[in-house]
Amino acid sequence: MKVDVVVCAKNSGETLKPVLERVFRHVPVNRLIVIDGESHDETVSIAEEYGAEIYSDGGKGLGYARNMALSLVETSIFAFIDADTLIPKNWFSLIRHFEDPKVAVANGYTLFGCNNPVLKALSEYKLRREGYEPPSFSNALVRVKPVVEVGGIREDLPSCEDNELRERLGEHGYRWIVDKRIVAHHPRSLSQHLTHVKWWGRGSRASGKPISLHAWFLIKSLGSALKLSFQAHPALLIYYPLLRLSMYMGYLEEAESEKKTCRKQP
């Protein structure tokens, strides 16, 4: 079967070409749909080279763009591939999970920092960890009907829209599969990852997670870092607390942003 492939992109000119090369090599593409977040680089022209249908999210953010996809796709199951995620050769084998009608989403594991030995070691450590199955739209197959049935993808979240959707799907009896046998790669430097983790913290706050959860993980991060420095990479003694601090700061930034919004309202 062929599937529509949706790539949400913003200023992704440096990463988009290799991503699309792999998409066309490893996925039976029906239509390539690129939802652009008002890019100022070569993102749109690169997408045009690959025959993409291009839409704009009007600068309304990733959640809005992802929800747009639900009304744009024609195939009952479609793919989300992020504009900076490199899928492996076996990626489309995720389709086998949809033999179960209760499966709404299936994604592979995203290995962050494949070009950074410390971040790669952390991701590989988590990959080996039993019970760690992070939902992700970065490389996912999605069944449209159940996602629409539970109310779609939240447009108001700056990030973590995949985590929030998994909870709602579970409440309605649907399943979200994380297949760790399929490993996608996400090149990222430490500074890029710190920025991204802060963005996750903002999404966590917006989706209603308590600050006590992040405070606890931050306090605990020193002990966790010591363990990780022995079991994964010595530099995680420094890296890991920085990552947890970055997520906590993102949470606080979103909380402050919400307060400012409330003050402006009459």
Side-chain angles (χ1 to χ4, degrees):
M1 64 178 291
K2 290 188 174 183
V3 296
D4 287 345
V5 176
V6 178
V7 178
C8 299
K10 182 176 181 180
N11 296 326
S12 305
E14 291 186 8
T15 59
L16 190 56
K17 273 193 178 184
V19 168
L20 296 183
E21 288 289 341
R22 291 196 180 210
V23 165
F24 280 103
R25 198 179 308 146
H26 304 318
V27 182
V29 179
N30 180 54
R31 295 155 63 223
L32 173 62
I33 298 169
V34 171
I35 303 178
D36 178 60
E38 299 191 329
S39 297
H40 302 295
D41 64 357
E42 297 178 339
T43 296
V44 171
S45 61
I46 291 170
E48 288 173 341
E49 286 178 30
Y50 287 84
E53 298 175 28
I54 300 166
Y55 299 85
S56 173
D57 66 15
K60 295 179 181 177
L62 185 57
Y64 182 88
R66 294 213 191 278
N67 207 44
M68 266 182 76
L70 299 175
S71 61
L72 293 173
V73 297
E74 294 174 349
T75 56
S76 60
I77 296 170
F78 74 97
F80 270 133
I81 307 290
D82 277 0
D84 48 11
T85 300
L86 302 169
I87 60 171
K89 185 178 180 179
N90 67 337
W91 186 82
F92 196 66
S93 63
L94 283 170
I95 196 68
R96 69 184 182 276
H97 295 295
F98 291 85
E99 293 174 6
D100 179 351
K102 283 296 183 180
V103 170
V105 184
N107 69 261
Y109 182 82
T110 304
L111 196 150
F112 292 107
C114 56
N115 57 332
N116 179 304
V118 184
L119 293 178
K120 183 180 179 183
L122 177 60
S123 277
E124 288 176 337
Y125 174 85
K126 290 180 177 180
L127 177 62
R128 297 190 299 269
R129 231 176 78 194
E130 286 188 25
Y132 181 71
E133 298 180 345
S136 177
F137 276 143
S138 69
N139 70 109
L141 283 174
V142 181
R143 198 193 306 265
V144 176
K145 187 177 178 182
V147 176
V148 171
E149 182 185 314
V150 303
I153 298 164
R154 276 185 60 176
E155 299 179 356
D156 61 321
L157 299 180
S159 64
C160 300
E161 71 285 347
D162 36 22
N163 285 273
E164 192 279 334
L165 178 61
R166 180 170 70 169
E167 291 178 8
R168 271 189 293 129
L169 286 167
E171 290 167 2
H172 287 77
Y174 290 109
R175 299 176 64 204
W176 185 311
I177 303 292
V178 180
D179 191 335
K180 293 169 79 172
R181 293 168 294 183
I182 297 169
V183 180
H185 288 83
H186 194 308
R188 191 177 281 176
S189 66
L190 174 60
S191 61
Q192 288 171 330
H193 199 50
L194 286 169
T195 300
H196 208 82
V197 167
K198 182 181 280 191
W199 180 61
W200 286 341
R202 295 190 71 120
S204 181
R205 164 68 189 188
S207 62
K209 292 291 185 291
I211 191 170
S212 57
L213 179 68
H214 290 284
W216 169 242
F217 278 127
L218 180 58
I219 293 167
K220 194 176 144 185
S221 67
L222 295 175
S224 299
L226 184 61
K227 178 182 175 182
L228 287 166
S229 69
F230 286 106
Q231 296 187 356
H233 195 288
L236 285 168
L237 189 62
I238 298 170
Y239 271 50
Y240 191 71
L242 280 176
L243 292 169
R244 280 295 172 189
L245 178 61
S246 188
M247 183 170 281
Y248 187 73
M249 294 303 293
Y251 188 101
L252 295 179
E253 282 184 10
E254 184 64 21
E256 184 59 30
S257 177
E258 289 173 10
K259 286 180 184 177
K260 288 179 181 178
T261 302
C262 288
R263 289 189 202 111
K264 289 178 182 177
Q265 292 176 351

